[in-house]
Amino acid sequence: MILAAEDIEAAEKQIVEQTKRIDFYITEYSVEMLANKMRTREYVVPAYQREFTWEPERKSKFIESVIMGLPIPFIFFWEMPDGKLEIVDGSQRLRTIEEFIFGELQLSDLDQLTLISGCYFSDLLESRQRKIKNRSIRGIVLNEHADEAARLDMFERINTGSKTANHAEIRRGALAGPFITMIIDLARDPLFLRLAPMSTKQAKERGHEELVTRFFAYGDGLDGYRDRPSDFIFNYTKRMNVEFKENPRQASFYRARFAETMSFVDRVFPHGFTKGPKGRATPRARFESIAIGSLWALSDRPELASMDASRINVEEWLYGDEFSNITGSDGANAISRLRGRIEYVRTRLAGA
């Protein structure tokens, strides 16, 4: 591809403009300083950061790496107007350092330093404690002159494709806005939590937020879906943040839609989104079919909202082989499978 002179000039101007948005500096902090600043809340964990989910074994292996002097990934910060540093990436590492230095973490299951398994920081020789405190970890600070979009862009680029940050967490960081705020709120709705149980680990990893986001993204239609739910939902969320900012009253409409659907599922489906009376998990494909199928059916036939559950009688097909097959995991994200399982429930309900 050969660019014309004016195209090259325009490209250079774009590079310069975008570079101005990314104003940062590289620094190094001692382990002791990092722990103290975490303890005094000089470092701020923003709302979009996930809850502390590292298991004791993972914390211990990270501290083992610190003690051995192995390279530690950069910590990313954003310098807030008040001078405090907001953690963009690295809150798990920083909280583990704080916990260890202040004597709240007992090391376990170490691979190399097996003789200190079971030890707390205070159990080590004082000379070793000082050496650990003096170790440095590098940080990148995006300063206050960089705009918010640049900060969120950095979070997205750090985490996209990461094995340690799931899609719901990435959206929290890269797409903070009124739509995401509504998603976070609805994900805590008591009725929804009862209808869609999941493990503590899944819940901490934003599993309920993922389900609520899919409810709205797929519920608004699947035009543009290309068998990659992460891309489709990301773009949808980005667009909805803009729409909610332009029309704040739209949030009330979406909240009402969610509440009506959850109330319908609670009344009509005997065990919510689970497979049976003792269900403790919510299969994603099953949730999508029931939740969005119900949403679409209520749109087709609003009278379903007040119809007696015995007339709708979902049990005659809910536990059958056909429904079990269409909500199976094989090719679950393919558009044909996704649309098929939603339409199945929609048709069954609308024909009641």
Side-chain angles (χ1 to χ4, degrees):
M1 178 179 179
I2 300 177
L3 295 176
E6 59 268 24
D7 293 330
I8 295 175
E9 185 175 337
E12 178 60 23
K13 182 179 179 182
Q14 183 185 53
I15 292 171
V16 170
E17 288 176 352
Q18 291 300 313
T19 301
K20 288 179 180 178
R21 296 174 58 238
I22 309 299
D23 191 359
F24 69 92
Y25 60 89
I26 298 176
T27 186
E28 290 196 20
Y29 301 105
S30 69
V31 165
E32 181 177 27
M33 178 181 288
L34 292 172
N36 286 331
K37 285 187 175 290
M38 285 295 293
R39 182 60 45 137
T40 59
R41 301 300 176 254
E42 285 291 308
Y43 293 159
V44 178
V45 180
Y48 60 76
Q49 289 279 16
R50 58 184 172 172
E51 297 172 14
F52 197 89
T53 57
W54 273 11
E55 311 81 12
E57 295 78 11
R58 189 170 180 184
K59 297 181 200 175
S60 293
K61 286 180 171 57
F62 170 70
I63 293 299
E64 182 180 43
S65 297
V66 172
I67 295 173
M68 293 174 65
L70 297 175
I72 303 299
F74 280 88
I75 306 291
F76 286 80
F77 299 99
W78 173 61
E79 187 176 51
M80 303 169 69
D82 63 2
K84 292 184 178 181
L85 297 182
E86 178 182 282
I87 306 166
V88 177
D89 186 72
S91 66
Q92 301 281 14
R93 283 165 276 160
L94 290 177
R95 282 182 272 189
T96 298
I97 286 172
E98 176 194 3
E99 189 177 349
F100 180 62
I101 295 299
F102 284 93
E104 297 155 6
L105 173 63
Q106 182 180 27
L107 300 178
S108 61
D109 300 316
L110 301 182
D111 292 328
Q112 303 297 323
L113 305 179
T114 55
L115 296 181
I116 62 171
S117 285
C119 290
Y120 290 90
F121 180 71
S122 59
D123 294 326
L124 304 177
L125 290 174
E126 287 189 14
S127 58
R128 178 54 55 191
Q129 293 180 30
R130 284 192 290 270
K131 290 176 181 178
I132 294 172
K133 287 181 176 180
N134 288 336
R135 294 211 181 280
S136 62
I137 294 177
R138 304 186 80 184
I140 292 180
V141 181
L142 189 67
N143 75 28
E144 63 176 312
H145 301 298
D147 60 22
E148 185 182 49
R151 172 173 58 117
L152 298 180
D153 183 52
M154 182 170 75
F155 181 87
E156 179 188 0
R157 290 173 185 274
I158 291 168
N159 286 291
T160 298
S162 169
K163 293 182 180 179
T164 59
N166 62 44
H167 295 300
E169 291 162 350
I170 292 171
R171 288 194 297 270
R172 264 190 173 224
L175 298 174
F179 180 72
I180 283 289
T181 299
M182 183 192 72
I183 294 295
I184 294 170
D185 186 40
L186 292 179
R188 301 179 183 132
D189 178 75
L191 174 58
F192 170 62
L193 292 177
R194 178 166 61 80
L195 294 172
M198 59 181 62
S199 69
T200 301
K201 183 176 185 297
Q202 287 177 311
K204 284 185 176 181
E205 292 177 347
R206 317 299 184 193
H208 286 109
E209 291 176 27
E210 180 69 21
L211 295 183
V212 176
T213 309
R214 286 178 179 236
F215 171 78
F216 289 119
Y218 297 165
D220 273 347
L222 297 171
D223 293 341
Y225 185 91
R226 296 291 182 270
D227 298 346
R228 285 181 56 83
S230 59
D231 292 346
F232 179 81
I233 297 171
F234 188 95
N235 292 329
Y236 171 83
T237 303
K238 188 174 183 178
R239 185 179 74 251
M240 294 304 294
N241 268 333
V242 174
E243 291 188 14
F244 272 39
K245 285 180 182 178
E246 294 176 348
N247 181 13
R249 289 179 297 179
Q250 196 167 353
S252 297
F253 170 75
Y254 277 80
R255 286 177 179 273
R257 179 194 291 181
F258 182 80
E260 181 184 40
T261 305
M262 293 306 111
S263 178
F264 177 80
V265 171
D266 183 41
R267 189 171 60 82
V268 172
F269 290 82
H271 310 297
F273 300 111
T274 67
K275 291 183 177 181
K278 297 182 179 180
R280 294 293 180 269
T282 302
R284 187 170 289 172
R286 189 179 184 88
F287 171 83
E288 292 166 352
S289 61
I290 294 175
I292 303 158
S294 296
L295 172 68
W296 289 0
L298 287 167
S299 178
D300 296 335
R301 293 186 60 193
E303 65 271 21
L304 286 171
S306 57
M307 186 180 294
D308 189 275
S310 61
R311 284 187 58 191
I312 302 174
N313 190 22
V314 299
E315 294 188 63
E316 66 179 9
W317 53 265
L318 185 63
Y319 304 110
D321 291 339
E322 186 176 9
F323 185 65
S324 178
N325 289 335
I326 66 172
T327 54
S329 59
D330 292 341
N333 292 323
I335 183 63
S336 59
R337 293 292 303 276
L338 175 58
R339 190 183 296 278
R341 60 177 174 266
I342 295 172
E343 289 288 359
Y344 179 88
V345 173
R346 175 188 196 174
T347 302
R348 287 285 190 171
L349 293 174

